[in-house]
């Protein structure tokens, strides 16, 4: 399967995708709001914002001075277009996977005659699915 048009490697990492998604829902956001909403450290968020800003996807504005200094961020038109294109590409990937997936649930291992397979996990009752093992 080829990568759909609009898939953006720069936005795709989870943290940058989360930043872009949060900013897509607003015009401007305070640095502290973004940091707290995504449970990031100041340095981790700063690094991601810098990467997005260098690509022209983000505008950073520093207002005030001293202890009253405030940093605000927003997606640029280019950033919004990249985010929208990436979301469309992800949807195309997901929809394409649904079209080629086998019908019905698939079990992780052998299922004895008479066992039923649950649609949610693909496992027989009483078996823990590998994706849930760490929970």
């Amino acid at each position: 399967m080829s990568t759909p048009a609009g898939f953006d490697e720069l936005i795709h990492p989870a943290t940058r995708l989360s930043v872009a998604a949060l900013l897509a829902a607003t015009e401007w956001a305070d640095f502290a709001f973004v940091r707290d909403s995504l449970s990031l450290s100041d340095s981790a968020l700063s690094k991601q914002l810098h990467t997005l800003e260098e690509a022209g996807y983000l505008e950073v504005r520093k207002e005030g001075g001293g202890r009253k200094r405030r940093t605000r961020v927003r997606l640029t038109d280019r950033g919004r277009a990249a985010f929208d294109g990436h979301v469309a590409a992800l949807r195309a990937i997901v929809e394409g996977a649904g079209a080629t997936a086998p019908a019905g649930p698939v079990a992780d291992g052998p299922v004895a005659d008479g066992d039923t397979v649950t649609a949610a996990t693909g496992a027989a009752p009483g078996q823990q699915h590998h994706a849930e093992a760490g929970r």
Side-chain angles (χ1 to χ4, degrees), residues 102 104-112 115-134:
V106 176
D108 286 340
V111 177
D115 281 348
T116 57
V117 176
T118 62
T121 65
Q127 291 180 332
Q128 187 176 24
H129 190 269
H130 64 86
E132 296 174 356

Side-chain angles (χ1 to χ4, degrees), residues 9-106:
E9 294 283 347
L10 185 79
I11 290 177
H12 189 67
T15 301
R16 287 196 291 265
L17 182 58
S18 296
V19 168
L22 186 64
L23 295 177
T26 187
E27 183 61 31
W28 286 93
D30 288 337
F31 180 93
F33 173 78
V34 177
R35 178 197 63 211
D36 295 346
S37 295
L38 301 178
S39 300
L40 296 171
S41 67
D42 286 355
S43 61
L45 179 57
S46 291
K47 180 179 178 181
Q48 301 307 323
L49 294 180
H50 180 73
T51 299
L52 291 167
E53 184 180 29
E54 279 189 333
Y57 290 179
L58 194 78
E59 180 180 349
V60 177
R61 237 184 232 168
K62 298 191 184 274
E63 301 171 345
R67 295 194 68 115
K68 300 272 185 180
R69 189 170 187 156
R70 185 168 122 173
T71 301
R72 300 180 70 201
V73 295
R74 75 174 185 97
L75 285 179
T76 61
D77 290 342
R78 180 178 179 183
R80 284 185 188 278
F83 175 72
D84 290 343
H86 189 68
V87 169
L90 291 174
R91 284 192 177 120
I93 291 169
V94 170
E95 289 168 2
T100 60
V106 176

